[in-house]
Amino acid sequence: MLRFALRRIGVAVCVAFTVAVFSFFLLHLSGDLATAIAGPESSAEQIAQIRVEYGLDRPIMAQFIDWLVRALHFDFGRSFYFQDQVTTLIAGRLGVTMALGGMALGFALLVAIPLGVVAAIRRDTWIDRSALMISVFGQAMPSFWFALTLVLIFSVKLRWLPASGGATWKHMILPVVALGTYAMPAIMRLTRNGMLDVLAADYIRTARAKGLSTAVVLFKHALRNAVIPVVGLAAVQLGFMLGGSIVIETVFSLHGLGHLAWEAISRNDYPVVQAVVLLLSVVYILVTLAADLLNAALDPRMRTG
Amino acid sequence: MTAAPLLSVSDLTIDIPLGGRTLHAVRGVSFEVSRGETLCIVGESGSGKSLTSLALMNLLPGRLKRAAAAMSFDGIDLLSIPERRMSDLRGDRMAMIFQEPMTSLNPAYTIGNQLTEAFLRHRKTTRKEAFGRAVYLLEKVGITAADRRMKQYPHQLSGGLRQRVMIAMALMCEPDLLIADEPTTALDVTIQAQILLLLKDLQKELGIAIILITHDLGVVARIADRVAVMYAGELVESGPAAPLFQSPAHPYTRGLLECIPQPGKTRPGEPLGSIPGLVPSLTGRVSGCVFRNRCPRAEEACSGEVPVVAFGDARRVRCLFAEGVR
């Protein structure tokens, strides 16, 4: 298990490095940064001055190594637009995004796994069919529309919850539900199908032949094997929710990473874009790593492979 | 009969509903098993022998319907006891091993965990004691370095080893009855022989009754005290192994025996027997002798009622023209 973990961590570091290389060079290959920073109406002298000021006149490898070393010290330079250190800027936004993504995944898992299990056990009954309907509904609905509908019902009509902002935990409920609902259907269906496969397996018959109770058969023998694919999916979903929660963040005026990325891109704020891309990639890599390790803990066959 | 049989089944029927129609998979099967004896249930694929064994343990898939005139295990009526008491018997006094050792163990748990599970469920005991018994049984079924095996996972063991683990698992609570559903089918011939020998030895030593489900007559000849032959969901012939092999009464049993080569008797190149025709459909109403469409002796009367006739030394046959009856 330790050897497996070390190898996976090694792979993760390599992937993170590759991502860093790409995020740096893609930006520098996308055009002359000095011209972009200076703006369309600046003179040749101004551009040349900016080039020197930002160190853009140096060889690209030197720039890259310099950037990488500073990135490893969490120094991404100053934002062009916000006049603030990129690190400070991100630190302020990261918490919101992490809380939103984490809680949304938690909500999705909490609803989807029990629902999937029940749907599998009560296959082809009204419970199974309702679960399927919920999943189709969750998948088909655009998330901004669902988010606005939630606001309309719970904030405008019922006045139970605030409509926007992120001041208290009450502010988080609607965004978490909206984002979680989006992740739920896939997890639910994977759990259901996994359970159906596993329940038909020979070792479940063996477990029943031992006289074990239904609860032990379901939760010890079946569920553990059924959730193995769910772990991988949940990791992908979480990665997606961390980077892709822009729509939800916008609807609820939550200033998270997604929102920051959107602002930075629309204002050509390169240091911020670069840092956000790198950070989200690293988070994604860490989440995948955690999923791999969790899977190996659940399934001994993966520890050797 | 001196003592009451350990297990007795009378008129067991299993129906499989198929959207409006019904498949009568097992019909009117009756047999007994005494303490310490081996009953082999023989039949081809689809003859209902595995369903019969699952029905004894009440492990049939939910949509299948089990019915019987009577079914008792050591005086306990298996038809009326609640599921909770049935699960007390399962894995304790009645144990089962299955055909597929490769998939019958849970990949996520160690051998030790799965071995001790039933013991911990059925006995007031400690983990340490359960572990000790598991190691003892692993050694008994011929597994070396049992201590180390306890910590291994199923995927680290070969098929033969896994089947030995399954046998050890079934023996954990010293069952009175062991049902083995084709325990050697998935294994190669040398391992097959080892496993059969092991079952025979264990039976001699522990005095358990065994129901061995198989389609392999070679296996039957080696291990059976009594044999029950199933065809298309019916028990066509049953009786003590030696006379049944010597003078099979039912045309199907005779046909089956002609299909296997006999050392010393069958010359190389000589064609083996075969039974022409196909198994009839069992959906809808099934009446008369099920074998009549393939039987060389069939007559008009065979489509009517065919009773089970007792004859000889505790033998029974379901045929109007059975050999050696009277």
Side-chain angles (χ1 to χ4, degrees):
Chain A
M1 182 71 192
L2 186 69
R3 259 185 51 204
F4 171 83
L6 288 176
R7 197 164 60 232
R8 279 299 148 100
I9 290 168
V11 170
V13 170
C14 293
V15 174
F17 178 76
T18 313
V19 169
V21 171
F22 272 94
S23 71
F24 179 85
F25 284 100
L26 276 182
L27 209 55
H28 281 257
L29 290 175
S30 62
D32 184 7
L33 282 181
T35 317
I37 294 165
E41 267 131 59
S42 38
S43 63
E45 290 84 54
Q46 280 174 311
I47 291 173
Q49 195 199 332
I50 281 172
R51 186 165 286 138
V52 176
E53 203 177 301
Y54 287 91
L56 294 171
D57 55 338
R58 295 185 300 147
I60 190 136
M61 278 317 286
Q63 287 184 52
F64 173 65
I65 289 165
D66 194 35
W67 174 78
L68 192 65
V69 168
R70 283 195 286 130
L72 286 175
H73 294 90
F74 300 106
D75 176 8
F76 294 94
R78 292 182 81 81
S79 157
F80 297 163
Y81 174 77
F82 293 100
Q83 301 305 321
D84 214 343
Q85 285 294 321
V86 174
T87 312
T88 329
L89 210 56
I90 286 177
R93 308 294 185 90
L94 190 62
V96 176
T97 298
M98 289 292 191
L100 179 60
M103 287 197 289
L105 181 71
F107 169 75
L109 290 175
L110 235 55
V111 176
I113 291 182
L115 204 59
V117 169
V118 173
I121 299 171
R122 296 271 175 267
R123 185 186 189 174
D124 293 334
T125 62
W126 65 270
I127 299 173
D128 187 20
R129 276 188 285 272
S130 330
L132 182 72
M133 255 175 57
I134 294 171
S135 114
V136 168
F137 185 67
Q139 196 110 55
M141 229 168 12
S143 54
F144 74 90
W145 180 82
F146 183 59
L148 289 171
T149 309
L150 285 178
V151 170
L152 198 65
I153 296 173
F154 292 100
S155 306
V156 180
K157 283 262 159 63
L158 297 171
R159 297 185 175 281
W160 287 352
L161 295 164
S164 72
T168 66
W169 63 270
K170 273 191 171 177
H171 288 89
M172 297 302 282
I173 294 178
L174 289 183
V176 162
V177 170
L179 193 59
T181 303
Y182 185 71
M184 206 183 64
I187 297 174
M188 199 286 285
R189 279 197 318 237
L190 199 65
T191 308
R192 175 185 177 272
N193 292 345
M195 267 315 256
L196 284 178
D197 281 351
V198 169
L199 286 175
D202 289 342
Y203 56 80
I204 294 301
R205 194 179 51 187
T206 308
R208 292 181 61 209
K210 287 183 196 171
L212 302 176
S213 68
T214 310
V216 174
V217 171
L218 282 180
F219 293 104
K220 179 180 172 187
H221 286 277
L223 189 59
R224 175 154 169 180
N225 285 291
V227 297
I228 289 168
V230 174
V231 172
L233 176 72
V236 175
Q237 297 266 29
L238 179 61
F240 184 78
M241 284 193 286
L242 291 177
S245 54
I246 303 175
V247 172
I248 299 294
E249 285 182 9
T250 309
V251 170
F252 292 99
S253 306
L254 288 169
H255 293 289
L257 270 187
H259 193 72
L260 178 68
W262 175 71
E263 280 176 307
I265 291 168
S266 58
R267 291 182 172 118
N268 286 343
D269 197 344
Y270 292 113
V272 176
V273 175
Q274 224 165 22
V276 169
V277 167
L278 188 66
L279 181 74
L280 285 179
S281 309
V282 169
V283 168
Y284 203 100
I285 290 164
L286 287 177
V287 167
T288 315
L289 177 69
D292 277 352
L293 295 180
L294 184 58
N295 259 345
L298 285 173
D299 186 351
R301 284 169 299 181
M302 294 196 192
R303 287 171 215 164
T304 45
Chain B
M1 281 271 155
T2 43
L6 177 66
L7 176 81
S8 97
V9 178
S10 155
D11 222 359
L12 173 70
T13 298
I14 301 169
D15 286 343
I16 307 175
L18 296 171
R21 285 159 32 102
T22 306
L23 179 84
H24 304 284
V26 172
R27 301 174 309 284
V29 166
S30 308
F31 59 88
E32 286 100 41
V33 185
S34 306
R35 283 180 187 279
E37 83 167 352
T38 303
L39 170 72
C40 280
I41 302 181
V42 202
E44 53 196 275
S45 308
S47 60
K49 54 194 195 305
S50 290
L51 285 180
T52 301
S53 66
L54 288 173
L56 297 178
M57 299 278 282
N58 198 15
L59 284 177
L60 288 171
R63 59 200 184 85
L64 272 58
K65 292 195 185 71
R66 178 186 80 171
M71 208 161 98
S72 69
F73 173 77
D74 197 20
I76 304 163
D77 181 7
L78 296 181
L79 293 172
S80 65
I81 66 166
E83 168 56 28
R84 200 180 46 74
R85 282 206 47 215
M86 187 66 215
S87 76
D88 286 343
L89 285 180
R90 250 187 249 133
D92 186 6
R93 301 194 56 200
M94 299 168 85
M96 193 159 180
I97 50 184
F98 299 97
Q99 186 172 2
E100 284 296 334
M102 302 312 272
T103 50
S104 290
L105 289 165
N106 191 329
Y109 295 98
T110 59
I111 302 300
N113 183 320
Q114 298 185 61
L115 270 167
T116 51
E117 211 175 12
F119 197 64
L120 291 169
R121 149 82 170 84
H122 293 293
R123 297 286 145 87
K124 285 197 174 86
T125 184
T126 58
R127 273 179 194 286
K128 208 178 147 210
E129 205 176 319
F131 189 92
R133 174 147 180 86
V135 170
Y136 165 78
L137 280 171
L138 283 183
E139 277 163 0
K140 176 134 264 181
V141 300
I143 292 178
T144 51
D147 266 334
R148 196 166 54 82
R149 296 286 184 205
M150 291 288 282
K151 292 183 202 77
Q152 288 189 314
Y153 289 93
H155 73 276
Q156 293 166 305
L157 307 183
S158 69
L161 274 183
R162 287 190 215 183
Q163 197 59 291
R164 284 168 195 267
V165 169
M166 288 296 292
I167 293 172
M169 198 180 277
L171 295 177
M172 278 299 282
C173 295
E174 295 180 70
D176 298 314
L177 175 67
L178 176 67
I179 303 172
D181 185 1
E182 308 225 17
T184 59
T185 306
L187 306 171
D188 65 61
V189 186
T190 35
I191 309 294
Q192 262 185 35
Q194 289 172 14
I195 297 281
L196 285 178
L197 202 67
L198 173 68
L199 282 176
K200 223 173 160 179
D201 287 348
L202 288 170
Q203 179 179 40
K204 229 180 268 163
E205 197 182 323
L206 306 171
I208 33 179
I210 296 181
I211 296 178
L212 186 83
I213 317 281
T214 182
H215 63 255
D216 186 341
L217 288 167
V219 169
V220 179
R222 278 189 199 189
I223 198 171
D225 295 319
R226 288 196 307 117
V227 181
V229 181
M230 283 189 78
Y231 175 75
E234 283 178 7
L235 218 161
V236 294
E237 177 169 5
S238 65
L244 189 140
F245 273 107
Q246 206 107 75
S247 54
H250 196 280
Y252 176 67
T253 317
R254 253 176 288 144
L256 265 189
L257 288 170
E258 278 163 21
C259 295
I260 45 170
Q262 289 177 314
K265 271 190 187 171
T266 313
R267 280 184 301 277
E270 185 184 325
L272 293 170
S274 65
I275 304 172
L278 292 170
V279 179
S281 160
L282 300 179
T283 45
R285 227 175 84 81
V286 181
S287 65
C289 172
V290 270
F291 190 59
R292 66 179 186 275
N293 65 329
R294 303 171 75 180
C295 181
R297 300 282 313 265
E299 284 180 25
E300 196 77 18
C302 295
S303 41
E305 178 103 349
V306 182
V308 177
V309 199
F311 70 104
D313 176 21
R315 293 180 68 178
R316 272 180 284 183
V317 64
R318 188 192 287 264
C319 179
L320 295 173
F321 305 104
E323 205 89 351
V325 179
R326 255 174 304 275

Coordinates of all heavy atoms in Angstrom, one line a residue, chain A residues 74-139:
Chain A
F74 N 4.7 30.2 -3.7 CA 3.4 30.9 -3.7 C 3.4 32.3 -4.1 O 2.6 33.1 -3.6 CB 2.6 30.6 -2.4 CG 2.4 29.2 -2.1 CD1 3.1 28.6 -1.1 CD2 1.5 28.4 -2.8 CE1 3.0 27.2 -0.8 CE2 1.3 27.1 -2.5 CZ 2.1 26.5 -1.6
D75 N 4.4 32.7 -4.9 CA 4.5 34.1 -5.3 C 4.2 34.2 -6.8 O 4.9 33.7 -7.6 CB 5.9 34.6 -5.0 CG 6.0 36.1 -5.5 OD1 5.0 36.7 -6.0 OD2 7.2 36.6 -5.5
F76 N 3.0 34.7 -7.1 CA 2.6 34.7 -8.6 C 2.7 36.2 -9.1 O 2.1 36.5 -10.1 CB 1.2 34.2 -8.7 CG 1.1 32.7 -8.4 CD1 0.8 32.3 -7.2 CD2 1.5 31.8 -9.4 CE1 0.8 30.9 -6.9 CE2 1.4 30.4 -9.1 CZ 1.1 30.0 -7.8
G77 N 3.3 37.1 -8.4 CA 3.4 38.4 -8.8 C 2.2 39.2 -8.5 O 1.3 38.8 -7.7
R78 N 2.1 40.4 -9.1 CA 1.0 41.3 -8.9 C -0.1 41.2 -10.0 O 0.3 40.9 -11.1 CB 1.4 42.8 -8.8 CG 2.3 43.1 -7.6 CD 2.6 44.6 -7.7 NE 1.6 45.4 -7.1 CZ 1.4 45.6 -5.8 NH1 2.2 45.0 -4.9 NH2 0.4 46.4 -5.4
S79 N -1.3 41.3 -9.6 CA -2.4 41.4 -10.6 C -2.2 42.7 -11.4 O -1.9 43.7 -10.8 CB -3.7 41.3 -9.9 OG -4.7 41.8 -10.8
F80 N -2.5 42.6 -12.7 CA -2.4 43.8 -13.5 C -3.6 44.7 -13.2 O -3.5 45.9 -13.2 CB -2.5 43.5 -15.0 CG -1.3 42.7 -15.5 CD1 -1.4 42.0 -16.7 CD2 -0.1 42.7 -14.8 CE1 -0.3 41.3 -17.2 CE2 0.9 42.0 -15.2 CZ 0.9 41.3 -16.4
Y81 N -4.7 44.1 -13.0 CA -6.0 44.9 -12.8 C -6.3 45.3 -11.4 O -6.6 46.4 -11.1 CB -7.1 44.1 -13.4 CG -8.5 44.7 -13.2 CD1 -8.9 45.8 -14.0 CD2 -9.3 44.3 -12.2 CE1 -10.1 46.5 -13.8 CE2 -10.6 44.9 -12.0 CZ -10.9 46.0 -12.8 OH -12.1 46.6 -12.5
F82 N -6.2 44.3 -10.5 CA -6.6 44.5 -9.1 C -5.6 45.2 -8.2 O -5.8 45.6 -7.1 CB -6.9 43.2 -8.4 CG -8.1 42.5 -9.0 CD1 -8.0 41.5 -9.9 CD2 -9.4 42.9 -8.6 CE1 -9.1 40.8 -10.4 CE2 -10.5 42.3 -9.1 CZ -10.4 41.3 -10.0
Q83 N -4.4 45.4 -8.8 CA -3.3 46.1 -8.0 C -3.1 45.4 -6.6 O -3.1 46.1 -5.6 CB -3.6 47.6 -7.8 CG -3.8 48.4 -9.1 CD -2.6 48.2 -10.0 OE1 -1.5 48.2 -9.5 NE2 -2.9 48.1 -11.3
D84 N -3.0 44.1 -6.7 CA -2.9 43.4 -5.4 C -2.0 42.2 -5.7 O -1.9 41.8 -6.9 CB -4.3 42.9 -5.0 CG -4.4 42.9 -3.5 OD1 -3.4 42.9 -2.8 OD2 -5.6 42.9 -3.0
Q85 N -1.4 41.6 -4.7 CA -0.7 40.4 -4.9 C -1.7 39.3 -5.3 O -2.7 39.1 -4.8 CB 0.0 39.9 -3.6 CG 1.3 40.7 -3.2 CD 2.4 40.5 -4.3 OE1 2.6 39.4 -4.7 NE2 3.1 41.6 -4.6
V86 N -1.3 38.5 -6.4 CA -2.1 37.4 -6.9 C -2.5 36.4 -5.7 O -3.6 36.0 -5.6 CB -1.5 36.7 -8.0 CG1 -2.3 35.5 -8.5 CG2 -1.3 37.7 -9.2
T87 N -1.4 36.1 -4.9 CA -1.6 35.2 -3.8 C -2.7 35.6 -2.9 O -3.6 34.9 -2.5 CB -0.3 34.9 -3.1 OG1 0.7 34.7 -4.1 CG2 -0.4 33.8 -2.2
T88 N -2.6 36.9 -2.5 CA -3.6 37.5 -1.6 C -5.0 37.4 -2.2 O -6.0 37.0 -1.5 CB -3.3 38.9 -1.3 OG1 -1.9 39.2 -1.3 CG2 -3.9 39.4 0.1
L89 N -5.1 37.7 -3.5 CA -6.3 37.7 -4.2 C -7.0 36.3 -4.2 O -8.1 36.1 -3.9 CB -6.0 38.1 -5.6 CG -7.0 38.8 -6.4 CD1 -7.5 40.1 -5.7 CD2 -6.5 39.2 -7.8
I90 N -6.1 35.3 -4.5 CA -6.6 33.9 -4.6 C -7.0 33.4 -3.2 O -8.0 32.8 -3.0 CB -5.5 33.0 -5.2 CG1 -5.5 33.3 -6.8 CG2 -5.9 31.6 -5.0 CD1 -4.5 32.5 -7.5
A91 N -6.2 33.7 -2.2 CA -6.4 33.2 -0.9 C -7.8 33.6 -0.4 O -8.5 32.9 0.2 CB -5.4 33.7 0.1
G92 N -8.2 34.9 -0.8 CA -9.5 35.4 -0.4 C -10.6 34.7 -1.1 O -11.7 34.5 -0.5
R93 N -10.4 34.2 -2.3 CA -11.5 33.5 -3.1 C -11.5 32.0 -2.9 O -12.6 31.4 -3.1 CB -11.3 33.8 -4.5 CG -11.1 35.3 -4.9 CD -12.4 36.0 -4.6 NE -12.3 37.4 -5.0 CZ -12.6 37.8 -6.2 NH1 -13.0 37.0 -7.1 NH2 -12.5 39.1 -6.5
L94 N -10.4 31.4 -2.6 CA -10.3 30.0 -2.5 C -11.2 29.3 -1.5 O -11.9 28.4 -1.8 CB -8.8 29.6 -2.2 CG -8.5 28.1 -2.3 CD1 -8.7 27.7 -3.8 CD2 -7.1 27.8 -1.9
G95 N -11.3 30.0 -0.4 CA -12.2 29.5 0.7 C -13.6 29.3 0.2 O -14.2 28.2 0.4
V96 N -14.1 30.3 -0.4 CA -15.5 30.3 -0.9 C -15.7 29.1 -1.9 O -16.7 28.3 -1.7 CB -15.9 31.6 -1.6 CG1 -17.3 31.5 -2.2 CG2 -15.8 32.7 -0.7
T97 N -14.8 29.0 -2.8 CA -14.9 27.9 -3.8 C -14.8 26.5 -3.2 O -15.6 25.6 -3.5 CB -13.8 28.1 -4.9 OG1 -14.1 29.3 -5.6 CG2 -13.9 27.0 -5.9
M98 N -13.8 26.4 -2.3 CA -13.6 25.1 -1.7 C -14.9 24.7 -0.9 O -15.3 23.6 -0.9 CB -12.4 25.1 -0.7 CG -11.1 25.2 -1.5 SD -10.8 23.6 -2.3 CE -9.1 23.8 -2.8
A99 N -15.4 25.6 -0.1 CA -16.5 25.4 0.7 C -17.7 25.0 -0.1 O -18.4 24.0 0.1 CB -16.9 26.6 1.6
L100 N -17.9 25.8 -1.2 CA -19.0 25.5 -2.1 C -18.9 24.1 -2.8 O -19.8 23.3 -2.7 CB -19.1 26.6 -3.2 CG -20.2 26.5 -4.2 CD1 -21.6 26.5 -3.5 CD2 -20.1 27.6 -5.2
G101 N -17.7 23.9 -3.3 CA -17.5 22.6 -4.0 C -17.6 21.4 -3.1 O -18.3 20.4 -3.4
G102 N -16.9 21.5 -1.9 CA -16.9 20.5 -1.0 C -18.3 20.1 -0.5 O -18.7 19.0 -0.4
M103 N -19.0 21.2 -0.1 CA -20.3 21.0 0.5 C -21.3 20.4 -0.6 O -22.1 19.6 -0.3 CB -20.9 22.2 1.1 CG -20.2 22.5 2.4 SD -21.1 23.7 3.5 CE -20.9 25.2 2.6
A104 N -21.1 20.9 -1.8 CA -22.0 20.5 -2.9 C -21.8 19.0 -3.2 O -22.7 18.2 -3.4 CB -21.8 21.3 -4.2
L105 N -20.5 18.6 -3.1 CA -20.2 17.2 -3.4 C -20.8 16.3 -2.2 O -21.4 15.3 -2.4 CB -18.7 16.9 -3.5 CG -18.3 15.5 -3.7 CD1 -18.7 15.0 -5.1 CD2 -16.9 15.2 -3.5
G106 N -20.6 16.8 -1.0 CA -21.1 16.2 0.2 C -22.6 16.0 0.1 O -23.1 14.9 0.3
F107 N -23.3 17.1 -0.3 CA -24.7 17.0 -0.5 C -25.1 16.0 -1.6 O -26.0 15.1 -1.4 CB -25.2 18.4 -0.9 CG -26.7 18.4 -1.3 CD1 -27.7 18.3 -0.4 CD2 -27.0 18.5 -2.7 CE1 -29.0 18.4 -0.8 CE2 -28.3 18.6 -3.1 CZ -29.3 18.5 -2.2
A108 N -24.4 16.0 -2.7 CA -24.7 15.1 -3.8 C -24.5 13.6 -3.3 O -25.4 12.8 -3.6 CB -23.8 15.4 -5.0
L109 N -23.4 13.4 -2.6 CA -23.1 12.0 -2.2 C -24.2 11.5 -1.2 O -24.7 10.4 -1.3 CB -21.7 11.9 -1.6 CG -20.6 12.0 -2.5 CD1 -19.2 12.0 -1.7 CD2 -20.6 10.9 -3.5
L110 N -24.5 12.4 -0.3 CA -25.5 12.1 0.8 C -26.8 11.8 0.2 O -27.6 10.9 0.8 CB -25.6 13.3 1.7 CG -25.3 13.0 3.2 CD1 -24.0 12.4 3.4 CD2 -25.4 14.3 4.0
V111 N -27.2 12.4 -0.9 CA -28.5 12.1 -1.5 C -28.4 11.0 -2.5 O -29.2 10.0 -2.5 CB -29.1 13.4 -2.2 CG1 -30.4 13.0 -2.9 CG2 -29.3 14.5 -1.2
A112 N -27.3 11.0 -3.3 CA -27.2 10.1 -4.4 C -27.0 8.6 -4.0 O -27.5 7.7 -4.5 CB -26.2 10.5 -5.4
I113 N -26.1 8.4 -3.0 CA -25.7 7.0 -2.7 C -26.9 6.3 -2.0 O -27.2 5.2 -2.5 CB -24.4 7.0 -1.8 CG1 -23.2 7.4 -2.7 CG2 -24.2 5.6 -1.2 CD1 -21.9 7.4 -2.1
P114 N -27.5 6.9 -1.0 CA -28.7 6.1 -0.4 C -29.8 5.9 -1.5 O -30.3 4.8 -1.6 CB -29.2 7.1 0.7 CG -28.0 7.9 1.1 CD -27.2 8.1 -0.2
L115 N -30.0 6.9 -2.3 CA -31.0 6.8 -3.3 C -30.7 5.7 -4.3 O -31.5 4.9 -4.7 CB -31.2 8.2 -4.1 CG -32.5 8.5 -4.8 CD1 -33.6 8.4 -3.7 CD2 -32.4 9.8 -5.4
G116 N -29.4 5.7 -4.7 CA -28.9 4.6 -5.7 C -29.1 3.2 -5.0 O -29.5 2.3 -5.7
V117 N -28.7 3.1 -3.8 CA -28.8 1.8 -3.1 C -30.2 1.4 -3.0 O -30.6 0.2 -3.4 CB -28.2 1.9 -1.7 CG1 -28.5 0.6 -0.9 CG2 -26.7 2.1 -1.7
V118 N -31.1 2.3 -2.6 CA -32.5 1.9 -2.5 C -33.1 1.6 -3.8 O -33.9 0.6 -4.0 CB -33.3 3.0 -1.8 CG1 -34.8 2.7 -1.8 CG2 -32.9 3.2 -0.3
A119 N -32.8 2.3 -4.8 CA -33.3 2.1 -6.2 C -32.8 0.7 -6.7 O -33.6 0.0 -7.3 CB -32.8 3.1 -7.2
A120 N -31.6 0.3 -6.3 CA -31.1 -1.0 -6.7 C -31.8 -2.2 -6.0 O -32.2 -3.2 -6.6 CB -29.6 -1.1 -6.5
I121 N -32.0 -2.0 -4.7 CA -32.7 -3.0 -3.9 C -34.1 -3.2 -4.3 O -34.7 -4.2 -4.4 CB -32.6 -2.7 -2.4 CG1 -31.1 -2.6 -1.9 CG2 -33.3 -3.7 -1.5 CD1 -30.9 -2.1 -0.5
R122 N -34.8 -2.0 -4.5 CA -36.2 -2.0 -4.9 C -36.3 -1.8 -6.4 O -37.0 -1.0 -6.9 CB -36.9 -0.9 -4.2 CG -37.0 -1.1 -2.7 CD -38.2 -1.9 -2.3 NE -38.1 -2.2 -0.8 CZ -37.6 -3.3 -0.3 NH1 -37.0 -4.2 -1.1 NH2 -37.6 -3.5 1.0
R123 N -35.5 -2.6 -7.2 CA -35.5 -2.4 -8.6 C -36.8 -2.6 -9.2 O -37.6 -3.5 -8.8 CB -34.5 -3.5 -9.2 CG -34.3 -3.4 -10.6 CD -33.5 -4.5 -11.1 NE -33.1 -4.3 -12.5 CZ -32.3 -5.0 -13.2 NH1 -31.8 -6.1 -12.6 NH2 -32.0 -4.8 -14.4
D124 N -37.1 -1.8 -10.2 CA -38.4 -1.8 -11.0 C -39.6 -1.6 -10.2 O -40.7 -2.0 -10.5 CB -38.5 -3.2 -11.7 CG -37.5 -3.3 -12.8 OD1 -37.0 -2.3 -13.3 OD2 -37.1 -4.5 -13.1
T125 N -39.4 -0.9 -9.0 CA -40.6 -0.5 -8.2 C -40.8 1.0 -8.4 O -40.0 1.6 -9.1 CB -40.5 -0.8 -6.7 OG1 -39.4 0.0 -6.3 CG2 -40.2 -2.3 -6.5
W126 N -41.8 1.6 -7.8 CA -42.0 3.0 -8.0 C -40.8 3.8 -7.4 O -40.5 4.9 -7.9 CB -43.3 3.4 -7.3 CG -43.4 3.3 -5.8 CD1 -43.8 2.1 -5.1 CD2 -42.9 4.2 -4.8 NE1 -43.6 2.4 -3.8 CE2 -43.1 3.6 -3.6 CE3 -42.5 5.5 -4.9 CZ2 -42.8 4.3 -2.4 CZ3 -42.1 6.2 -3.7 CH2 -42.3 5.5 -2.5
I127 N -40.1 3.2 -6.4 CA -39.0 3.9 -5.8 C -37.9 4.1 -6.8 O -37.3 5.2 -7.0 CB -38.5 3.2 -4.6 CG1 -39.5 3.1 -3.5 CG2 -37.2 3.9 -4.0 CD1 -39.2 2.2 -2.3
D128 N -37.6 3.0 -7.5 CA -36.6 3.0 -8.6 C -36.9 4.0 -9.7 O -36.1 4.7 -10.1 CB -36.5 1.5 -9.1 CG -35.3 1.4 -10.1 OD1 -34.4 2.2 -10.1 OD2 -35.3 0.4 -10.9
R129 N -38.2 3.9 -10.1 CA -38.6 4.8 -11.2 C -38.6 6.3 -10.8 O -38.2 7.2 -11.5 CB -40.0 4.4 -11.7 CG -39.9 3.3 -12.7 CD -41.3 3.0 -13.4 NE -42.1 2.3 -12.4 CZ -42.2 1.0 -12.3 NH1 -41.4 0.2 -13.1 NH2 -43.0 0.4 -11.5
S130 N -38.9 6.6 -9.5 CA -38.9 8.0 -9.0 C -37.4 8.4 -9.0 O -37.1 9.6 -9.4 CB -39.4 8.2 -7.6 OG -40.5 7.3 -7.4
A131 N -36.5 7.6 -8.6 CA -35.1 7.9 -8.5 C -34.6 8.2 -9.9 O -33.8 9.2 -10.1 CB -34.3 6.8 -7.9
L132 N -35.0 7.4 -10.9 CA -34.6 7.6 -12.3 C -35.1 9.0 -12.7 O -34.4 9.7 -13.4 CB -35.2 6.5 -13.2 CG -34.7 6.6 -14.6 CD1 -33.3 6.3 -14.8 CD2 -35.6 5.7 -15.5
M133 N -36.4 9.3 -12.4 CA -37.0 10.6 -12.8 C -36.2 11.8 -12.2 O -35.9 12.7 -12.9 CB -38.4 10.7 -12.4 CG -39.4 10.5 -13.6 SD -41.1 10.4 -13.1 CE -41.3 12.0 -12.2
I134 N -35.9 11.6 -10.9 CA -35.1 12.7 -10.3 C -33.8 12.9 -11.0 O -33.3 14.0 -11.3 CB -34.8 12.3 -8.8 CG1 -36.1 12.4 -8.0 CG2 -33.8 13.3 -8.2 CD1 -36.0 11.8 -6.6
S135 N -33.2 11.8 -11.4 CA -31.8 11.8 -12.0 C -31.9 12.5 -13.4 O -31.1 13.3 -13.8 CB -31.2 10.4 -12.0 OG -31.1 9.9 -13.3
V136 N -33.0 12.1 -14.2 CA -33.1 12.7 -15.5 C -33.4 14.2 -15.4 O -32.8 15.0 -16.0 CB -34.3 12.0 -16.2 CG1 -34.7 12.8 -17.5 CG2 -34.0 10.6 -16.6
F137 N -34.2 14.6 -14.4 CA -34.5 15.9 -14.1 C -33.3 16.7 -13.8 O -33.0 17.8 -14.3 CB -35.5 16.0 -12.9 CG -36.1 17.3 -12.6 CD1 -36.9 18.0 -13.5 CD2 -35.7 17.9 -11.4 CE1 -37.4 19.3 -13.1 CE2 -36.2 19.2 -11.0 CZ -37.0 19.9 -11.9
G138 N -32.5 16.2 -12.8 CA -31.2 16.8 -12.4 C -30.2 17.0 -13.5 O -29.6 18.0 -13.6
Q139 N -30.2 16.0 -14.4 CA -29.2 16.1 -15.5 C -29.7 17.1 -16.6 O -28.9 17.8 -17.2 CB -29.1 14.7 -16.1 CG -27.9 14.5 -17.0 CD -26.9 13.6 -16.3 OE1 -27.2 12.5 -15.9 NE2 -25.7 14.1 -16.1

